């Protein structure tokens, strides 16, 4: 009886701590190691990412990886390949030491309660600046020291397509349309820091 050499590819998204790169003999990175819980996963990097700023991450930083996983043969061999790498945190840790009650963020204000940014993930919003807005939100949260307190979640259509890109700041359900990346820092600081420190 002959064995069937079948393969199946499914998309995946992982978040974890970046451990380091695996390099080719010419010095170019070919894979990365991601710590997810107690496990360390080796994930191949797509050629289109190998020379980009997406790889400008340091060990210990939190990253999100989107890609494809391929099962081969009897589905015991699993290969992971990254097509998108997103930095989730920077060197500033707002709650690095939880036992410290007087934890403050870089602007000297106490850390806020947990929050969410609901970002419309539908194609209209993505085409009208949603992708750029997502990157700007991540960077701004990091700059404000909020990366461990506020998460970004993509949603289905928020029914305001004509005013894309759209987002909702939680808690409070504050709806914002045609969000200008230039005003994002002020918007997030007002909602997540200033309002809680008055």
């Amino acid at each position: 009886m002959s064995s069937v050499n079948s393969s199946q590819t499914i998309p995946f998204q992982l978040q974890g701590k970046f451990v380091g790169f695996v390099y080719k003999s010419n010095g170019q990175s070919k894979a990365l190691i991601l710590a997810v819980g107690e496990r360390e996963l080796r994930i191949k990097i797509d050629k289109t990412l190998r020379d980009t700023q997406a790889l400008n991450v340091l060990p210990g930083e939190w990253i999100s990886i989107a890609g494809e996983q391929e099962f081969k043969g009897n589905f015991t061999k699993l290969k992971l390949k990254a097509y998108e790498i997103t930095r989730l945190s920077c060197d500033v840790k707002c709650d690095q030491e939880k036992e410290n009650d007087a934890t403050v963020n870089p602007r000297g204000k106490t850390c806020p309660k947990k929050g969410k940014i609901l970002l419309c993930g539908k194609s209209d919003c993505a085409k009208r600046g949603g992708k750029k807005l997502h990157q700007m939100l991540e960077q701004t949260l990091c700059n404000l020291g909020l990366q461990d307190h506020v998460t970004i979640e993509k949603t289905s259509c928020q029914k305001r397509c004509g005013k894309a890109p759209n987002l909702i700041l939680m808690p409070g359900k504050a709806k914002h349309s045609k969000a200008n990346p230039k005003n994002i820092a002020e918007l997030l600081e007002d909602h997540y820091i200033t309002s809680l420190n008055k």
Side-chain angles (χ1 to χ4, degrees), residues 89 96 102 118 136:
S89 68
Q96 201 165 16
L118 305 177
M136 183 63 72

Side-chain angles (χ1 to χ4, degrees), residues 79-172:
K79 286 187 178 179
L80 298 172
K81 190 170 188 179
Y83 290 102
E84 186 180 318
I85 300 170
T86 309
R87 193 171 166 205
L88 295 179
S89 68
C90 61
D91 296 327
V92 179
K93 284 282 183 192
C94 199
D95 62 348
Q96 201 165 16
E97 295 181 14
K98 291 188 178 177
E99 60 272 12
N100 257 354
D101 290 330
T103 306
V104 295
N105 69 23
R107 305 220 171 179
K109 297 168 186 167
T110 54
C111 287
K113 294 176 182 175
K114 296 281 183 183
K116 282 184 191 177
I117 299 172
L118 305 177
L119 180 65
C120 181
K122 297 304 276 184
S123 58
D124 276 355
C125 277
K127 287 174 189 172
R128 295 181 186 178
K131 287 182 180 178
K132 185 176 179 182
L133 180 59
H134 188 264
Q135 292 172 345
M136 183 63 72
L137 286 167
E138 285 182 336
Q139 187 59 51
T140 305
L141 288 173
C142 183
N143 293 343
L144 292 173
L146 296 172
Q147 69 277 0
D148 295 327
H149 299 272
V150 182
T151 56
I152 302 170
E153 288 184 14
K154 287 192 178 176
T155 68
S156 57
C157 184
Q158 294 183 7
K159 310 294 183 196
R160 294 174 283 148
C161 302
K163 298 179 179 181
N166 296 296
L167 57 90
I168 301 170
L169 302 181
M170 304 285 286

Side-chain angles (χ1 to χ4, degrees), residues 20-23 28-33 42-45 50:
F21 289 112
V22 177
Y23 295 96
Q28 189 181 46
S29 54
K30 66 174 180 179
L32 62 80
I33 311 252
R42 180 181 167 136
I43 302 171
K44 190 175 178 184
I45 302 168
R50 290 180 188 172

